[in-house]
RNA sequence: GCGCCCGUGGCUCAGCUGGAUAGAGCGCUGCCCUCCGGAGGCAGAGGUCAGAGGUUCGAAUCCUCUCGGGCGCGCCA
């Protein structure tokens, strides 16, 4: 409908331009839905935009356009209002046409081919595999997954990816932590480092290592701890743990250390994979950071930067002159000890992403990483790539509330709330919905009590209840010995003249526009808000002014028409919920 | 100090590429007291869109400054 009106206006404009009535001008033809019914269904502001270049009053231009506008069976009336808005009133038949349209398209309604199959990569979560996902990762997970699903819904070829940081120092700390717990199980008395991973899962992995290897990797604690620099508080916890890691690698030698390292990594990756799958999130690819080093991609990236003259050496390290490309200062790529930095891997990773031929690359990061964006873009620029192909979406923090109180979290002590715990407490549906309820740049207050409550205050239940309510009507149909004929219902849609029925058709017709806007702007919350509106319309229809409009009336034509309308509503509710990764139950 | 994000009724937030009298939900007040599930509905009160300038026919929306809140500024990942 929108594009139809756009065409009508466009056509009229070219005619008027040919006749010399209007100057040539490339002002965009914007059609928007009106807020107020008295302004019709759609409005166009083109007359105001043309006022200046045409040097005429907006209302005169509007009259000119309306006068030359070809008639259309879908438009019943055209008005000029206010400063020069052109208001369109949609004809009844065109208005009703969405209903059969929705029912024909079914779960495809709202999907489109806008993306033309262009390849888009969405990388999200990518939490270090050093422990279970916590609630902070949950928002990135829900948000990233929904953005990916939205893009897929509008016709992009989406590649979901998780970047596995399996090469860094944090992994060494984990492997060493596991080994120490394993030694404890072997009966060694050890002093666990203050900077080690304290969580229970470390014990679980250690127990697994112990089961499979019994005492094969046991070493005396006295030998391990000999001459180690002191741990905090007397010494520095960082130097202590680094020395401990070096000792572990030395004593265990490559094969045994690797064994513990890989067992730990795989254990945690399995946990994360399982956790996300239960959250309705499945990736096309789990991309290993280590593979970048192994394949020589990191070296290649460094060489490309060096040969293009964007690097220099200072105090034993190799620096990238990122300040030449908009970053606030230069960054180290290779440390004085010869190790490449995380940033070097990241350059290689992004280079690899673009080389894989994605039209667009989207990274979903926590907002605390925002300072990192300029340097990655700088690297792409230096490499001669287009930084514009990379979109970094920053997600603000989520804070949990329980009983009106902020839920405190501390990662180190192992007392954090895991995503798994949250799912268990509020359910995956509520969690997915709450996480995307706010736009990503907005801090999120996640009210656990609200997410669990089964009342209209809880938007998830309110929406799901609308869906279940419709399903229930169809169950009652049989009980009452009535039948439903959809074809007859479609024939009789003109019987639906109640204000609430009109409102439902209007809302339901907007759905594809909402999906499109949400996808292109990476704004899943628009779908969440839309669904709440649709549910409100449905509940209001069902319970009109305290005099319920009965759907199951004896009049066949009217009953069929009403049931046809609500089954279209049910379809849209289901499609929308599905897009957010939330179930649409038939009963609750 | 510098950079990024945010600042809309008591609370939590929408507000589409600037557009026609600023919208919801919760809470509050008053109703509908069960009829296809009241897990619902209706009505009402409540807003200098943080503040000040500017651009524009038109600004919550764009620009500048000020104030307030969050986050980030490692040869960590």
């Amino acid at each position: 409908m929108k594009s139809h009106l756009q065409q009508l206006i466009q056509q009229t404009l070219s005619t008027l331009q040919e006749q010399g009535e209007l100057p040539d001008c490339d002002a965009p033809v914007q059609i928007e839905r009106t807020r107020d019914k008295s302004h019709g269904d759609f409005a166009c502001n083109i007359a105001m935009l043309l006022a200046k270049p045409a040097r005429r009053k907006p209302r005169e231009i509007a009259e000119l356009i309306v006068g030359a506008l070809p008639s259309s069976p879908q438009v019943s009336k055209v008005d000029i209002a206010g400063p020069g808005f052109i208001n369109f009133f949609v004809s009844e038949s065109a208005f009703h046409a969405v209903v059969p349209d929705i029912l024909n398209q079914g779960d495809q309604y709202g999907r489109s081919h806008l993306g033309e199959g262009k390849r888009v990569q969405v990388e999200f979560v990518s939490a270090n595999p050093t422990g279970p996902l916590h609630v902070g990762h949950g928002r990135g997970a829900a948000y990233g997954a929904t953005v990916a699903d939205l893009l897929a819904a509008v016709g992009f070829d989406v590649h979901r990816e998780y970047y596995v940081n399996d090469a860094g120092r944090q992994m060494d700390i984990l492997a060493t932590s596991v080994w120490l717990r394993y030694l404890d199980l072997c009966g060694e008395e050890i002093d666990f480092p203050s900077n080690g991973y304290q969580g229970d899962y470390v014990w679980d992995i250690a127990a697994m290592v112990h089961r499979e290897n019994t005492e094969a990797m046991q070493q005396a604690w006295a030998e391990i701890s000999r001459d180690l620099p002191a741990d905090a508080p007397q010494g520095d916890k960082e130097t202590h743990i680094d020395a401990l890691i070096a000792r572990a690698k030395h004593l265990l030698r490559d094969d045994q250390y690797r064994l513990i390292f890989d067992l730990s990594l795989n254990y945690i990756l399995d946990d994360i994979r399982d956790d996300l799958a239960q959250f309705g999130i499945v990736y096309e690819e789990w991309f290993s950071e280590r593979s970048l080093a192994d394949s020589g991609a990191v070296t290649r990236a460094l060489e490309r930067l060096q040969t293009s003259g964007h690097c220099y050496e200072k105090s034993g390290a190799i620096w990238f002159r990122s300040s030449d490309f908009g970053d606030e200062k230069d960054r180290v790529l290779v440390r004085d000890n010869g190790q490449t930095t995380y940033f070097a891997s990241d350059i290689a990773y992004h280079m690899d992403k673009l080389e894989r031929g994605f039209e667009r690359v989207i990274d979903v990061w926590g907002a605390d990483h925002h300072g990192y964006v300029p340097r990655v873009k700088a690297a792409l620029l230096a490499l001669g790539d287009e930084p514009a192909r990379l979109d970094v979406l920053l997600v603000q923090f989520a804070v949990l509330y329980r009983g009106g109180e902020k839920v405190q979290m501390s990662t180190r002590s192992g007392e954090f709330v895991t995503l798994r715990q949250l799912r268990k407490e509020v359910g995956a549906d509520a969690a997915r919905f709450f996480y995307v309820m706010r736009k990503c740049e907005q801090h999120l207050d996640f009210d656990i009590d609200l997410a669990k409550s089964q009342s209209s205050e809880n938007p998830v239940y309110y929406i799901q209840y609308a869906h279940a309510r419709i399903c229930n009507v169809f169950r009652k149909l049989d009980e009452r010995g009535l039948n439903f004929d959809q074809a007859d219902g479609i024939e009789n849609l003109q019987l639906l003249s109640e204000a609430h029925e009109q409102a439902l058709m209007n809302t339901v017709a907007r759905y594809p526009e909402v999906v499109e806007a949400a996808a292109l702007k990476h704004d899943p919350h628009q779908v969440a808000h839309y669904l709440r509106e649709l549910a409100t319309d449905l509940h209001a229809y069902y319970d009109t002014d305290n005099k319920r409009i009965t759907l199951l009336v004896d009049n066949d034509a009217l009953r069929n028409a009403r049931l046809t309308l609500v089954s279209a509503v049910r379809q849209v509710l289901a499609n929308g919920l599905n897009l957010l990764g939330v179930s649409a139950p038939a009963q609750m």
Side-chain angles (χ1 to χ4, degrees):
Chain A
M1 193 67 224
K2 236 178 173 174
S3 56
H4 174 66
L5 295 176
Q6 222 157 8
Q7 275 172 14
L8 284 182
I9 294 274
Q10 198 69 64
Q11 203 182 318
T12 311
L13 287 181
S14 3
T15 317
L16 289 171
Q17 278 160 2
E18 275 167 33
Q19 295 170 352
E21 297 279 358
L22 286 174
D24 285 345
C25 178
D26 56 352
V29 176
Q30 302 167 8
I31 304 287
E32 48 189 30
R33 285 185 182 271
T34 56
R35 222 178 297 167
D36 189 332
K37 267 287 166 196
S38 67
H39 296 141
D41 299 294
F42 293 91
C44 182
N45 64 350
I46 190 71
M48 274 106 85
L49 295 178
L50 290 176
K52 203 166 204 179
R55 289 203 210 128
R56 298 179 67 166
K57 287 182 183 154
R59 285 196 74 111
E60 275 179 30
I61 298 171
E63 277 164 32
L64 206 59
I65 294 171
V66 172
L69 205 61
S71 71
S72 159
Q74 304 190 48
V75 179
S76 65
K77 191 170 78 160
V78 183
D79 267 357
I80 298 169
F85 286 104
I86 301 172
N87 292 337
F88 294 91
F89 291 76
V90 172
S91 69
E92 200 178 61
S93 60
F95 195 67
H96 293 158
V98 276
V99 176
D101 190 30
I102 292 166
L103 295 169
N104 286 335
Q105 292 192 51
D107 58 11
Q108 294 299 303
Y109 179 68
R111 304 183 80 88
S112 70
H113 301 287
L114 203 74
E116 301 174 317
K118 287 180 190 150
R119 296 179 64 217
V120 176
Q121 189 215 40
V122 184
E123 182 220 322
F124 58 107
V125 185
S126 300
N128 277 348
T130 52
L133 297 177
H134 56 76
V135 291
H137 299 123
R139 188 173 187 191
Y143 177 75
T146 311
V147 166
D149 289 350
L150 279 167
L151 288 170
V154 298
F156 286 94
D157 180 5
V158 178
H159 186 84
R160 299 162 186 81
E161 189 158 307
Y162 189 117
Y163 183 52
V164 182
N165 296 121
D166 52 6
R169 173 169 169 265
Q170 295 303 320
M171 279 307 298
D172 282 323
I173 296 179
L174 175 72
T176 303
S177 300
V178 168
W179 186 46
L180 295 177
R181 293 304 193 200
Y182 158 87
L183 291 174
D184 192 299
L185 293 175
C186 293
E188 288 291 331
E189 291 236 352
I190 59 151
D191 295 322
F192 198 78
S194 58
N195 210 22
Y197 284 98
Q198 317 260 359
D200 289 342
Y201 60 93
V202 178
W203 283 108
D204 295 340
I205 304 170
M208 189 177 74
V209 175
H210 188 255
R211 262 199 312 280
E212 291 174 17
N213 301 276
T214 57
E215 260 85 70
M217 289 183 273
Q218 184 171 0
Q219 305 264 351
W221 174 246
E223 178 67 22
I224 298 165
S225 58
R226 179 178 303 155
D227 301 329
L228 280 183
D231 195 1
Q234 298 86 0
D236 177 46
K237 59 180 184 178
E238 305 291 349
T239 31
H240 175 73
I241 197 138
D242 282 339
L244 201 51
I245 291 168
R247 189 63 53 86
K249 285 182 176 172
H250 173 72
L251 292 173
L252 286 169
R253 294 185 308 280
D254 260 6
D255 54 334
Q256 288 194 330
Y257 184 79
R258 199 80 242 164
L259 189 69
I260 292 182
F261 187 102
D262 286 342
L263 272 172
S264 307
L265 173 67
N266 291 329
Y267 179 94
I268 287 170
L269 274 183
D270 283 347
D271 174 72
I272 291 175
R273 217 187 307 259
D274 174 69
D275 199 7
L276 289 172
Q278 288 187 45
F279 205 29
I281 299 170
V282 177
Y283 286 89
E284 269 77 32
E285 187 165 352
W286 295 70
F287 192 97
S288 152
E289 179 188 1
R290 211 196 299 165
S291 75
L292 283 172
D294 293 349
S295 70
V298 176
T299 319
R300 210 150 44 81
L302 289 175
E303 278 168 359
R304 268 183 69 184
L305 281 175
Q306 283 177 300
T307 52
S308 52
H310 300 305
C311 298
Y312 60 93
E313 217 176 308
K314 194 179 90 185
S315 50
I318 296 175
W319 295 69
F320 166 45
R321 213 183 296 279
S322 54
S323 58
D324 281 359
F325 301 93
D327 197 7
E328 53 184 9
K329 57 181 169 186
D330 296 343
R331 309 288 172 180
V332 171
L333 296 175
V334 184
R335 278 176 262 179
D336 56 6
N337 64 8
Q339 282 189 312
T340 54
T341 58
Y342 178 82
F343 181 42
S345 298
D346 229 24
I347 294 173
Y349 182 39
H350 282 90
M351 191 175 88
D352 179 86
K353 286 186 181 193
L354 294 179
E355 279 173 356
R356 275 188 269 163
F358 294 112
E359 196 111 356
R360 297 198 73 78
V361 168
I362 295 174
D363 288 0
V364 178
W365 291 351
D368 52 339
H369 285 68
H370 68 79
Y372 207 72
V373 179
R375 75 187 77 163
V376 173
K377 295 244 182 196
L380 294 180
L381 207 56
L383 288 168
D385 284 316
E386 303 162 61
R389 279 165 71 195
L390 169 68
D391 259 325
V392 182
L393 307 179
L394 298 170
V395 182
Q396 295 288 335
F397 287 167
V399 181
L400 293 186
Y401 283 85
R402 181 184 272 123
E405 301 269 311
K406 218 177 197 178
V407 178
Q408 294 298 333
M409 278 172 284
S410 57
T411 326
R412 273 294 152 201
S413 61
E415 284 177 46
F416 51 80
V417 179
T418 63
L419 176 60
R420 189 169 249 119
Q421 287 167 336
L422 182 73
R423 279 197 291 105
K424 203 177 157 203
E425 186 166 356
V426 308
D429 281 348
R432 283 288 300 256
F433 190 91
F434 272 60
Y435 272 134
V436 300
M437 208 163 44
R438 306 277 173 248
K439 52 184 171 195
C440 66
E441 58 267 36
Q442 187 76 247
H443 286 251
L444 173 68
D445 290 337
F446 193 120
D447 185 335
I448 294 181
D449 303 312
L450 180 60
K452 280 157 73 178
S453 87
Q454 308 205 344
S455 71
S456 65
E457 300 157 40
N458 182 345
V460 188
Y461 279 89
Y462 186 80
I463 296 164
Q464 289 182 321
Y465 179 48
H467 183 267
R469 234 178 178 179
I470 298 170
C471 294
N472 194 53
V473 170
F474 284 92
R475 278 192 296 274
K476 285 286 170 187
L477 191 65
D478 295 333
E479 276 178 31
R480 300 210 176 169
L482 294 167
N483 63 343
F484 170 50
D485 180 344
Q486 196 182 87
D488 185 58
I490 290 169
E491 287 301 307
N492 288 295
L493 286 172
Q494 76 282 353
L495 296 175
L496 305 180
S497 53
E498 296 273 348
H500 287 95
E501 292 165 336
Q502 299 283 310
L504 274 175
M505 284 189 237
N506 201 42
T507 305
V508 118
R510 269 172 48 216
Y511 178 68
E513 294 161 28
V514 172
V515 173
E516 189 181 311
L520 297 181
K521 297 198 68 191
H522 313 305
D523 269 347
H525 79 277
Q526 290 191 31
V527 177
H529 282 276
Y530 167 83
L531 288 174
R532 181 145 225 298
E533 250 179 86
L534 180 55
T536 301
D537 287 347
L538 188 275
H539 288 307
Y541 177 44
Y542 193 95
D543 242 345
T544 308
D545 301 327
N546 313 317
K547 308 180 298 248
R548 290 193 170 178
I549 287 202
T550 312
L551 298 173
L552 302 179
V553 288
D554 289 332
N555 179 326
D556 287 343
L558 187 59
R559 182 180 68 245
N560 285 330
R562 287 179 173 167
L563 289 176
T564 300
L565 172 61
V566 295
S567 71
V569 173
R570 173 175 60 179
Q571 183 70 59
V572 176
L573 285 168
N575 291 2
L577 287 171
N578 178 49
L579 209 40
L580 298 182
V582 179
S583 67
Q587 52 189 338
M588 296 168 69

